[in-house]
Amino acid sequence: MLRLTLNVNGVDRMVLADPDSTLVQYLREGLGLTSVKVGCGTGQCGACTVYMDGKLVRSCTRKMNRVPSGSRILTLEGIGTPGQLHPIQLAWIAHGGAQCGFCSPGFIVSTYALLEANPAPGREEVRDWFQKHRNACRCTGYKPLVDAVMDAAAVMRGDMSADDLLFKIPEDGRIWGTKYPRPTAVAKVTGTWDFGADMGLRLPPGSLHCALVQAEVSHARILSIDTSEAEKMPGVFKVVTHKDVKGKNRITGLITFPTNKGDGWDRPILCDEKVFQYGDAIAIVCADTAANAQAAVAKVRVELEQLPEYMSAQAAMAEDAMEIHPGTPNVYYIQKIAKGEDTAPIFEKADVVVEGDYFTSRQPHMPIEPDTGFAYLDEEGRLVIHSKSIGLHLHLYMIAPGLGLEADKIVMVQNPTGGTFGYKFSPTMEALVGAACLATGRPVFLNYTWYQQQTYTGKRSPQFTSVRMAATRDGKLLGMESDWTVDHGPYSEFGDLLTLRGAQFIGAGYDIPAIRGEGRTVCTNHAWGAAFRGYGGPEAEFPSEVLMDELAEKLGMDPLELRYKNVYRKGSTTPTGQDPEVYSLPEMIDTLRPKYAEAKKRAAAASTDAVKRGVGIAIGVYGSGLDGPDSSQVDAELNPDGSVTIYTCWEDHGQGADMGSLGTAHEALRPLGIAPDKIHLVMNDTSKAPNAGPAGGSRSQVMTGQATKNACEVLIAAMKKPDGSFRTYDEMKAEGLEVRHSGKFTAPARDCDANGQGSPFCCYMYGLFMAEVAVELATGKTSVEKMTMVADIGKVNNVLVTDGQIYGGMAQGIGLALSEDYEDIKKHSTMVGAGFPYIKQIPDDMEIIYVQSPRPDGPFGASGVGEIPLCAPHPAIINAIYNACGVRITALPALPEKVLAGLKAKA
């Protein structure tokens, strides 16, 4: 045992520590300094950054035997507090630097050290610093963080006032459409916003720590599970297996299309008969400490019979492939599209036909915060599950039958959540902690390592797509044919819905009168397919947007002008035969056209014999909502002091549900004249707020926003007196009037039929992307030097929120285009190995131009935003690579070796 004296945040501490324990363990568990986060746990993300003796240290890898006695350590808690914010924290708030907020403490500590060393850094020096110290962010796209550093430095030098960073409410009192800071911003920049692992440290005595016994193969039959030795290990309370699960031991996909050949009951909570993918949970060790639980994992004996592993759709579709789920074919869902006339005669007579085959990869979500959660039984005997869920009511109904509970016996609560980017649209550990709590009768806590996060949560489903387009000689599109195959991993949840997205969005944005195609969902043994930002849009629009460039080349037309000729105008219909709700794409192209001309001139002028530069464009379209008559409900209540409380399950995974709720409610409550701080939010607890639906598909601002608006309007109507003034709380009570009212909204939309025809969404989002890239001819390495997006997301609720969503989405699009993958389980299990984009891989030059077309069915004209920035930056980048060096990449990611191989083949 080491005995040290450390000065932490100006206070001397006597420390007793295990030499092999880490500094982050001491700071978090010993001192309760939970601003110091554990993300990757291997020194690759910077979330654990502290400032020690004048140097930045990644505390997750710094063993206590390498911490000298007498060291001075600074954490975020020592920089500023909620009541006394440091200029860096003020700047972070002003620029929307804290989205989910999980990485914010590490960045702010890193910035503190930078500005101490260099009070006047340039933007590139800031970027170099964050790259050197491996400060990683998955939410923001980094640009707002550099903006914040520059302003903080100016305040600290005295070149600007701290007051300049504070938001001032306009004279009209309106915050809709402004940069009003999100309500959680102060807590996030001071480290007082407790995430799941922070809350886990504060569970009551007697709580149990969970560790998973997981499969290390991808397909096997389970012959036996022996827990006897593990249960004798120190501190072990119980080892939970499928035998302890009282229900069906299955997570239901819940939404299963009628023609799906599976029943949706294919995913075990704890594996009983088979292992279906690497990492599948077989047992849960519940012990008094995390270390004791993990030590006992190795003592659980699992006997397996190895089965063939089908790690791609092609392998699972082979004639000799066995059924992964006996009784259900590996190709378990077929989706057709048939719009307009038969395409065969059109293609026979067309002046020009182009076709291509394309592949989008198994992109990993890579949040900095690993999955975490806990469960306990409340005073009413209900099972309460806290997690990162972004579909609280949805998950409740997905896991209840498997656990053997009625839905009213489960409460779901969302913890403050580090970004999920969609993977939490599927339940991950909710059923696991639920099963462990029910089996032990104790509160239980489960915290994945980042390795578990990467290997045992869902991924974007890879898609193989073939597209043909027919056009006239002057570039008018006549028809399209498509074929797409979705590798959805072993579990069918939402796989049919994802495959439908191919019918809805291949060729989206263009008036194509005749379409024929077929897609299929395939069961494999690779990582299960989960929602990922764009959910089918990036997979569908990559092939059609690259093929549009190929068509333009064949016609001798400029790619922008070919798009301009064919985008939606009055009389156009979407691939599903729906009339678009707005027709802003021509205006968006007109807006970009002069910038596009300038970019092409820049690329030509800056190209050299060694580095070629190019410009690429692409159009993205995506719906805001779940298909058909999607619905949402929110409550609004008048309080005795005249304030209003909004009860909502608008789940937040960093995108800004707090600000979305506040901005929408404040706009709706303007007749009452109340200030934003008089609106209270009770969020994301199924025992306190009604079912608003999941935070996915960019539905929340439209669906839950409308429900919020309606709830506020119903409350206002109840408060209104005949003379037009408003009743107080006391007057409402005296008259026997209700003070809490519900608002509901159901989308005026219609599900697609078997041929993919319908009006699935009442609101869409539209994006026009321009990428400027540089390609090194000697290595094939591509750098994105600038991204521009013209965005029509309807009326903007909050500029900081939508800017942050777009910057972050484009950054993920750059990763999808150039580096990110999860194909090789071993190689791609770390952030670096999986191609995580650090700050120097993302351009500082990112421009957003809004075209705000009011949506008839959106609250105050708003549509969604989250998915659209990732729907088509990657084809713009791929098109730019071709325009730079003549190499057309059709299988993502465009790694340097792929581009180099293309250059060599061309030579």
Coordinates of all heavy atoms in Angstrom, one line a residue, residues 793-874:
I793 N -34.0 22.7 -42.4 CA -34.6 21.9 -41.3 C -35.8 22.6 -40.7 O -36.2 22.4 -39.6 CB -33.6 21.6 -40.2 CG1 -33.0 22.9 -39.7 CG2 -32.4 20.7 -40.7 CD1 -32.1 22.8 -38.4
G794 N -36.4 23.4 -41.6 CA -37.6 24.2 -41.1 C -37.1 25.4 -40.3 O -35.9 25.8 -40.4
K795 N -38.0 25.9 -39.5 CA -37.6 27.0 -38.6 C -36.7 26.5 -37.5 O -37.1 25.4 -36.9 CB -38.9 27.7 -38.0 CG -39.7 28.5 -39.1 CD -38.9 29.7 -39.5 CE -39.6 30.6 -40.4 NZ -38.9 31.8 -40.9
V796 N -35.7 27.2 -37.2 CA -34.7 26.7 -36.2 C -35.2 27.1 -34.8 O -35.4 28.3 -34.5 CB -33.3 27.3 -36.5 CG1 -32.3 27.0 -35.3 CG2 -32.8 26.8 -37.8
N797 N -35.3 26.1 -33.9 CA -35.6 26.4 -32.5 C -34.4 27.0 -31.8 O -34.6 28.1 -31.2 CB -35.9 25.0 -31.8 CG -36.2 25.1 -30.3 OD1 -35.9 26.1 -29.7 ND2 -36.8 24.1 -29.8
N798 N -33.3 26.4 -31.8 CA -32.1 27.0 -31.1 C -30.9 26.8 -32.0 O -30.5 25.7 -32.4 CB -31.9 26.3 -29.8 CG -30.8 26.8 -29.0 OD1 -29.6 26.4 -29.2 ND2 -31.1 27.8 -28.1
V799 N -30.2 27.9 -32.3 CA -29.1 27.9 -33.3 C -27.9 27.1 -32.7 O -27.2 26.4 -33.4 CB -28.7 29.3 -33.6 CG1 -27.5 29.3 -34.6 CG2 -29.9 30.0 -34.3
L800 N -27.6 27.3 -31.4 CA -26.5 26.5 -30.9 C -26.7 25.0 -31.0 O -25.8 24.2 -31.3 CB -26.3 26.8 -29.4 CG -25.6 28.2 -29.0 CD1 -25.5 28.3 -27.5 CD2 -24.2 28.3 -29.6
V801 N -27.9 24.6 -30.7 CA -28.2 23.1 -30.8 C -28.1 22.6 -32.2 O -27.5 21.6 -32.5 CB -29.6 22.9 -30.2 CG1 -30.1 21.5 -30.6 CG2 -29.6 23.1 -28.7
T802 N -28.8 23.3 -33.2 CA -28.7 22.8 -34.6 C -27.4 23.0 -35.2 O -26.9 22.1 -35.9 CB -29.8 23.6 -35.4 OG1 -29.5 25.0 -35.4 CG2 -31.2 23.3 -34.9
D803 N -26.6 24.0 -34.9 CA -25.3 24.1 -35.4 C -24.4 22.9 -34.9 O -23.7 22.3 -35.7 CB -24.6 25.4 -34.9 CG -24.9 26.6 -35.7 OD1 -25.7 26.5 -36.7 OD2 -24.4 27.7 -35.4
G804 N -24.6 22.7 -33.6 CA -23.8 21.6 -33.0 C -24.2 20.2 -33.6 O -23.3 19.4 -33.9
Q805 N -25.4 20.0 -33.9 CA -25.9 18.8 -34.5 C -25.3 18.6 -35.9 O -24.8 17.6 -36.3 CB -27.4 18.7 -34.6 CG -28.1 18.4 -33.3 CD -27.8 17.0 -32.8 OE1 -28.5 16.1 -33.3 NE2 -26.9 16.8 -31.9
I806 N -25.3 19.7 -36.6 CA -24.8 19.7 -38.0 C -23.2 19.5 -38.1 O -22.7 18.7 -38.8 CB -25.2 20.9 -38.8 CG1 -26.8 20.8 -39.0 CG2 -24.5 21.0 -40.2 CD1 -27.4 22.1 -39.6
Y807 N -22.5 20.3 -37.3 CA -21.1 20.1 -37.2 C -20.7 18.6 -36.8 O -19.9 18.0 -37.5 CB -20.4 21.0 -36.2 CG -20.4 22.5 -36.6 CD1 -20.8 23.4 -35.6 CD2 -20.1 22.9 -37.9 CE1 -20.8 24.8 -35.9 CE2 -20.1 24.3 -38.2 CZ -20.4 25.2 -37.2 OH -20.4 26.5 -37.5
G808 N -21.4 18.1 -35.8 CA -21.1 16.8 -35.3 C -21.5 15.7 -36.3 O -20.8 14.7 -36.5
G809 N -22.6 15.9 -37.0 CA -23.1 14.9 -38.0 C -22.1 14.9 -39.2 O -21.8 13.8 -39.7
M810 N -21.7 16.1 -39.6 CA -20.7 16.1 -40.8 C -19.4 15.4 -40.4 O -18.8 14.7 -41.2 CB -20.5 17.5 -41.2 CG -21.7 18.1 -42.0 SD -21.3 19.5 -43.0 CE -21.0 20.8 -41.8
A811 N -19.0 15.6 -39.1 CA -17.7 15.0 -38.7 C -17.9 13.5 -38.7 O -17.0 12.7 -39.1 CB -17.4 15.4 -37.3
Q812 N -19.0 12.9 -38.3 CA -19.3 11.5 -38.4 C -19.3 11.0 -39.8 O -19.0 9.9 -40.2 CB -20.5 11.1 -37.6 CG -20.4 11.3 -36.1 CD -21.6 11.0 -35.3 OE1 -22.7 11.0 -35.9 NE2 -21.5 10.7 -34.1
G813 N -19.8 11.9 -40.7 CA -19.8 11.6 -42.1 C -18.4 11.5 -42.7 O -18.2 10.6 -43.6
I814 N -17.5 12.3 -42.2 CA -16.1 12.2 -42.7 C -15.5 10.9 -42.2 O -14.8 10.2 -42.9 CB -15.3 13.5 -42.1 CG1 -15.8 14.7 -42.8 CG2 -13.8 13.3 -42.3 CD1 -15.3 16.0 -42.1
G815 N -15.9 10.5 -41.0 CA -15.4 9.2 -40.5 C -15.9 8.1 -41.3 O -15.2 7.1 -41.6
L816 N -17.2 8.1 -41.6 CA -17.9 7.1 -42.4 C -17.2 7.0 -43.8 O -16.9 5.9 -44.3 CB -19.4 7.4 -42.6 CG -20.2 6.4 -43.5 CD1 -20.1 5.0 -43.0 CD2 -21.6 6.9 -43.6
A817 N -16.9 8.1 -44.4 CA -16.3 8.2 -45.7 C -14.8 7.7 -45.7 O -14.4 6.9 -46.6 CB -16.3 9.6 -46.2
L818 N -14.1 8.0 -44.7 CA -12.6 7.8 -44.8 C -12.0 6.8 -43.8 O -10.9 6.3 -44.1 CB -11.9 9.2 -44.6 CG -12.3 10.3 -45.5 CD1 -11.5 11.6 -45.2 CD2 -12.0 9.9 -47.0
S819 N -12.6 6.5 -42.7 CA -11.8 5.8 -41.7 C -12.6 4.8 -40.9 O -12.0 3.7 -40.5 CB -11.1 6.7 -40.8 OG -12.0 7.5 -40.0
E820 N -13.8 5.0 -40.5 CA -14.5 4.2 -39.5 C -15.0 2.9 -40.0 O -15.5 2.8 -41.1 CB -15.7 5.0 -38.9 CG -15.3 6.3 -38.2 CD -16.4 7.1 -37.7 OE1 -17.5 6.5 -37.4 OE2 -16.4 8.3 -37.6
D821 N -14.8 1.9 -39.1 CA -15.2 0.5 -39.5 C -15.2 -0.4 -38.2 O -14.5 -0.1 -37.3 CB -14.3 -0.1 -40.5 CG -15.0 -1.2 -41.4 OD1 -16.2 -1.4 -41.1 OD2 -14.4 -1.7 -42.3
Y822 N -16.1 -1.4 -38.3 CA -16.1 -2.4 -37.3 C -16.3 -3.8 -38.0 O -17.4 -4.3 -38.0 CB -17.1 -2.2 -36.2 CG -17.1 -3.3 -35.1 CD1 -16.0 -3.4 -34.2 CD2 -18.1 -4.2 -35.0 CE1 -16.0 -4.4 -33.3 CE2 -18.0 -5.2 -34.1 CZ -17.0 -5.3 -33.2 OH -16.9 -6.3 -32.3
E823 N -15.3 -4.2 -38.7 CA -15.4 -5.5 -39.4 C -14.5 -6.6 -38.7 O -14.9 -7.7 -38.5 CB -15.0 -5.3 -40.8 CG -15.5 -6.4 -41.8 CD -17.0 -6.5 -41.8 OE1 -17.7 -5.5 -41.8 OE2 -17.5 -7.7 -41.8
D824 N -13.3 -6.1 -38.4 CA -12.3 -7.0 -37.7 C -12.5 -6.8 -36.2 O -12.1 -5.8 -35.7 CB -10.9 -6.7 -38.2 CG -9.9 -7.6 -37.6 OD1 -10.0 -7.9 -36.4 OD2 -8.9 -7.9 -38.3
I825 N -13.1 -7.8 -35.5 CA -13.5 -7.6 -34.1 C -12.3 -7.3 -33.2 O -12.4 -6.4 -32.3 CB -14.1 -8.9 -33.6 CG1 -15.5 -9.1 -34.2 CG2 -14.3 -8.9 -32.1 CD1 -16.2 -10.4 -34.0
K826 N -11.1 -7.9 -33.5 CA -9.9 -7.6 -32.7 C -9.3 -6.2 -33.1 O -9.1 -5.3 -32.2 CB -8.9 -8.6 -32.9 CG -7.6 -8.5 -32.0 CD -6.7 -9.6 -32.2 CE -5.4 -9.4 -31.3 NZ -4.5 -10.6 -31.5
K827 N -9.1 -6.0 -34.4 CA -8.5 -4.7 -34.8 C -9.3 -3.5 -34.5 O -8.8 -2.4 -34.2 CB -8.2 -4.9 -36.3 CG -7.6 -3.6 -36.9 CD -7.4 -3.8 -38.4 CE -6.8 -2.5 -39.1 NZ -6.7 -2.7 -40.6
H828 N -10.6 -3.6 -34.7 CA -11.5 -2.5 -34.6 C -12.1 -2.3 -33.2 O -13.2 -1.7 -33.1 CB -12.6 -2.6 -35.7 CG -12.1 -2.5 -37.1 ND1 -12.6 -3.2 -38.1 CD2 -11.0 -1.9 -37.6 CE1 -12.0 -3.0 -39.2 NE2 -11.0 -2.1 -38.9
S829 N -11.5 -2.9 -32.2 CA -12.2 -2.9 -30.9 C -11.7 -1.7 -30.1 O -12.1 -1.5 -28.9 CB -11.9 -4.1 -30.1 OG -10.5 -4.3 -29.9
T830 N -10.7 -0.9 -30.6 CA -10.3 0.4 -29.9 C -10.7 1.6 -30.7 O -11.0 1.5 -31.9 CB -8.8 0.4 -29.7 OG1 -8.1 0.5 -31.0 CG2 -8.3 -0.9 -29.0
M831 N -10.6 2.7 -30.1 CA -11.0 4.0 -30.8 C -10.0 4.2 -32.0 O -10.5 4.5 -33.1 CB -11.0 5.2 -29.9 CG -12.1 5.2 -28.9 SD -11.9 6.5 -27.7 CE -12.3 7.9 -28.8
V832 N -8.7 4.0 -31.7 CA -7.8 4.3 -32.8 C -7.9 3.2 -33.9 O -7.9 3.5 -35.1 CB -6.3 4.3 -32.2 CG1 -5.3 4.3 -33.3 CG2 -6.1 5.5 -31.3
G833 N -8.1 2.0 -33.5 CA -8.2 0.9 -34.4 C -9.4 1.0 -35.3 O -9.4 0.6 -36.5
A834 N -10.5 1.5 -34.8 CA -11.8 1.6 -35.5 C -11.8 2.9 -36.3 O -12.9 3.1 -37.0 CB -12.9 1.6 -34.5
G835 N -10.8 3.7 -36.3 CA -10.8 4.9 -37.2 C -11.5 6.1 -36.6 O -12.0 6.9 -37.4
F836 N -11.5 6.2 -35.3 CA -12.2 7.4 -34.7 C -11.5 8.7 -35.2 O -10.3 8.8 -35.1 CB -12.1 7.3 -33.1 CG -12.8 8.4 -32.4 CD1 -14.1 8.1 -31.8 CD2 -12.3 9.7 -32.3 CE1 -14.8 9.0 -31.2 CE2 -13.0 10.6 -31.6 CZ -14.3 10.3 -31.0
P837 N -12.3 9.7 -35.6 CA -11.7 10.9 -36.1 C -11.4 11.9 -35.0 O -12.3 12.4 -34.3 CB -12.8 11.5 -37.0 CG -14.0 10.5 -37.0 CD -13.8 9.6 -35.9
Y838 N -10.1 12.1 -34.8 CA -9.7 13.1 -33.9 C -9.7 14.5 -34.6 O -10.0 14.6 -35.8 CB -8.3 12.8 -33.4 CG -8.2 11.6 -32.4 CD1 -8.0 10.3 -33.0 CD2 -8.4 11.8 -31.1 CE1 -8.0 9.2 -32.1 CE2 -8.3 10.7 -30.2 CZ -8.1 9.4 -30.7 OH -8.1 8.3 -29.9
I839 N -9.4 15.5 -33.9 CA -9.6 16.9 -34.4 C -8.9 17.2 -35.7 O -9.4 17.9 -36.5 CB -9.3 17.9 -33.3 CG1 -9.8 19.3 -33.6 CG2 -7.8 18.0 -33.0 CD1 -9.8 20.3 -32.5
K840 N -7.7 16.7 -35.9 CA -7.0 17.0 -37.1 C -7.5 16.2 -38.3 O -7.1 16.5 -39.4 CB -5.5 16.7 -36.9 CG -4.8 17.6 -35.9 CD -4.7 19.0 -36.3 CE -3.5 19.2 -37.2 NZ -3.2 20.6 -37.5
Q841 N -8.4 15.3 -38.1 CA -9.1 14.6 -39.2 C -10.3 15.3 -39.7 O -10.9 15.0 -40.7 CB -9.4 13.2 -38.9 CG -8.2 12.2 -38.9 CD -7.3 12.4 -37.7 OE1 -7.7 12.2 -36.6 NE2 -6.0 12.6 -37.9
I842 N -10.7 16.3 -38.9 CA -12.0 17.1 -39.1 C -11.6 18.5 -39.5 O -10.8 19.1 -38.7 CB -12.9 17.1 -37.9 CG1 -13.2 15.6 -37.5 CG2 -14.2 17.8 -38.2 CD1 -13.9 14.8 -38.6
P843 N -12.1 19.1 -40.5 CA -11.7 20.4 -40.9 C -12.2 21.5 -39.9 O -13.3 21.3 -39.4 CB -12.3 20.7 -42.3 CG -13.4 19.8 -42.3 CD -13.1 18.5 -41.5
D844 N -11.4 22.5 -39.7 CA -11.8 23.6 -38.9 C -12.8 24.5 -39.7 O -13.6 25.2 -39.1 CB -10.6 24.4 -38.4 CG -11.0 25.5 -37.3 OD1 -11.8 25.2 -36.5 OD2 -10.5 26.6 -37.4
D845 N -12.7 24.4 -41.0 CA -13.5 25.2 -41.9 C -14.8 24.4 -42.2 O -14.8 23.6 -43.1 CB -12.7 25.5 -43.1 CG -13.3 26.7 -43.9 OD1 -14.5 27.1 -43.6 OD2 -12.7 27.2 -44.9
M846 N -15.8 24.7 -41.4 CA -17.1 24.1 -41.7 C -18.2 25.2 -41.7 O -18.2 26.0 -40.8 CB -17.5 23.0 -40.7 CG -16.6 21.7 -40.8 SD -17.3 20.3 -40.0 CE -16.9 20.6 -38.3
E847 N -18.9 25.2 -42.8 CA -19.9 26.3 -42.9 C -21.3 25.8 -43.0 O -21.6 24.8 -43.7 CB -19.6 27.1 -44.2 CG -20.4 28.3 -44.4 CD -20.0 29.1 -45.7 OE1 -19.1 28.7 -46.4 OE2 -20.7 30.2 -45.9
I848 N -22.2 26.4 -42.3 CA -23.6 26.0 -42.3 C -24.4 27.2 -42.9 O -24.3 28.4 -42.4 CB -24.2 25.7 -40.9 CG1 -23.3 24.5 -40.3 CG2 -25.6 25.3 -41.0 CD1 -23.6 24.4 -38.8
I849 N -25.3 26.9 -43.8 CA -26.2 28.0 -44.4 C -27.6 27.4 -44.2 O -27.9 26.4 -44.8 CB -25.9 28.2 -45.9 CG1 -24.4 28.6 -46.1 CG2 -26.8 29.3 -46.4 CD1 -23.9 28.5 -47.5
Y850 N -28.4 28.2 -43.5 CA -29.8 27.7 -43.3 C -30.8 28.3 -44.3 O -30.7 29.5 -44.6 CB -30.3 28.1 -41.9 CG -29.7 27.4 -40.8 CD1 -28.7 28.0 -40.0 CD2 -30.0 26.0 -40.5 CE1 -28.1 27.3 -38.9 CE2 -29.4 25.4 -39.5 CZ -28.4 26.0 -38.7 OH -27.8 25.3 -37.6
V851 N -31.6 27.4 -44.9 CA -32.8 27.9 -45.7 C -34.0 27.4 -44.9 O -34.2 26.2 -44.8 CB -32.8 27.2 -47.1 CG1 -34.1 27.5 -47.8 CG2 -31.6 27.7 -47.9
Q852 N -34.7 28.3 -44.2 CA -35.7 28.0 -43.2 C -37.1 28.0 -43.8 O -37.8 29.0 -43.7 CB -35.6 28.9 -42.0 CG -34.3 28.8 -41.3 CD -34.3 29.5 -39.9 OE1 -35.2 29.4 -39.2 NE2 -33.2 30.3 -39.6
S853 N -37.4 26.9 -44.4 CA -38.8 26.8 -45.0 C -39.7 26.3 -43.9 O -39.5 25.2 -43.4 CB -38.8 25.8 -46.2 OG -37.8 26.1 -47.1
P854 N -40.7 27.1 -43.5 CA -41.6 26.6 -42.5 C -42.4 25.3 -42.8 O -42.9 25.2 -43.9 CB -42.6 27.8 -42.3 CG -42.0 28.9 -43.0 CD -41.1 28.4 -44.1
R855 N -42.4 24.4 -41.9 CA -43.1 23.2 -42.1 C -44.6 23.3 -41.6 O -44.8 23.6 -40.5 CB -42.4 22.0 -41.4 CG -41.0 21.7 -41.8 CD -40.9 21.4 -43.3 NE -39.6 20.8 -43.6 CZ -38.5 21.5 -44.0 NH1 -38.5 22.8 -44.1 NH2 -37.4 20.9 -44.3
P856 N -45.5 23.0 -42.5 CA -46.9 23.1 -42.1 C -47.3 22.2 -40.9 O -48.1 22.6 -40.0 CB -47.7 22.6 -43.3 CG -46.7 22.8 -44.5 CD -45.4 22.6 -43.9
D857 N -46.6 21.1 -40.7 CA -46.9 20.2 -39.6 C -45.9 20.2 -38.5 O -45.9 19.3 -37.6 CB -47.1 18.7 -40.1 CG -48.3 18.6 -41.0 OD1 -49.4 19.1 -40.6 OD2 -48.2 18.1 -42.1
G858 N -44.9 21.1 -38.6 CA -43.9 21.2 -37.5 C -44.3 22.3 -36.5 O -44.9 23.3 -36.9
P859 N -43.9 22.1 -35.2 CA -44.2 23.2 -34.2 C -43.5 24.5 -34.6 O -42.3 24.5 -34.7 CB -43.7 22.5 -32.9 CG -42.6 21.6 -33.4 CD -43.1 21.0 -34.7
F860 N -44.3 25.5 -34.8 CA -43.7 26.8 -35.2 C -42.9 26.7 -36.4 O -41.9 27.5 -36.6 CB -43.0 27.4 -34.0 CG -43.8 27.5 -32.7 CD1 -43.4 26.6 -31.6 CD2 -44.9 28.3 -32.6 CE1 -44.1 26.6 -30.5 CE2 -45.7 28.2 -31.4 CZ -45.3 27.4 -30.4
G861 N -43.2 25.7 -37.3 CA -42.5 25.6 -38.6 C -41.3 24.8 -38.5 O -40.6 24.6 -39.6
A862 N -40.9 24.1 -37.4 CA -39.7 23.4 -37.3 C -39.8 22.0 -37.9 O -40.9 21.4 -37.8 CB -39.3 23.3 -35.8
S863 N -38.7 21.5 -38.4 CA -38.6 20.0 -38.7 C -37.5 19.5 -37.8 O -37.1 20.1 -36.8 CB -38.2 19.8 -40.2 OG -38.3 18.5 -40.5
G864 N -37.0 18.3 -38.0 CA -35.9 17.7 -37.2 C -34.6 18.2 -37.7 O -34.5 18.9 -38.7
V865 N -33.5 17.6 -37.1 CA -32.2 18.0 -37.6 C -31.2 16.9 -37.4 O -30.3 16.8 -38.2 CB -31.7 19.3 -36.8 CG1 -31.5 19.0 -35.3 CG2 -30.3 19.7 -37.3
G866 N -31.3 16.0 -36.4 CA -30.2 15.1 -36.1 C -29.7 14.2 -37.1 O -28.4 14.0 -37.3
E867 N -30.5 13.6 -38.0 CA -30.1 12.6 -38.9 C -29.5 13.3 -40.2 O -28.5 12.8 -40.8 CB -31.2 11.7 -39.4 CG -32.3 11.4 -38.4 CD -31.8 10.4 -37.3 OE1 -31.2 9.4 -37.7 OE2 -32.0 10.7 -36.2
I868 N -30.0 14.4 -40.6 CA -29.7 14.9 -42.0 C -28.2 15.2 -42.2 O -27.7 15.0 -43.3 CB -30.6 16.1 -42.4 CG1 -30.5 16.4 -43.9 CG2 -30.4 17.3 -41.5 CD1 -30.9 15.3 -44.8
P869 N -27.5 15.7 -41.1 CA -26.1 16.0 -41.4 C -25.2 14.8 -41.7 O -24.1 15.0 -42.1 CB -25.6 16.8 -40.2 CG -26.6 16.4 -39.1 CD -27.9 16.2 -39.8
L870 N -25.7 13.6 -41.4 CA -24.9 12.4 -41.7 C -25.5 11.6 -42.9 O -25.0 10.6 -43.3 CB -24.9 11.5 -40.5 CG -24.0 10.2 -40.5 CD1 -22.7 10.4 -41.1 CD2 -23.9 9.6 -39.1
C871 N -26.5 12.2 -43.6 CA -27.1 11.4 -44.7 C -26.3 11.5 -45.9 O -26.3 10.5 -46.7 CB -28.6 11.9 -44.9 SG -29.8 11.2 -43.8
A872 N -25.6 12.6 -46.2 CA -24.9 12.6 -47.5 C -23.5 13.4 -47.5 O -23.1 13.8 -48.6 CB -25.8 13.2 -48.5
P873 N -22.9 13.6 -46.3 CA -21.5 14.2 -46.5 C -20.6 13.2 -47.1 O -19.6 13.6 -47.8 CB -21.1 14.6 -45.0 CG -22.0 13.7 -44.2 CD -23.3 13.5 -44.9
H874 N -20.8 11.9 -46.9 CA -19.8 10.9 -47.3 C -19.8 10.8 -48.9 O -18.7 10.7 -49.5 CB -20.0 9.6 -46.6 CG -21.4 9.1 -46.6 ND1 -22.5 9.8 -46.1 CD2 -22.0 7.9 -47.0 CE1 -23.6 9.1 -46.2 NE2 -23.3 8.0 -46.8

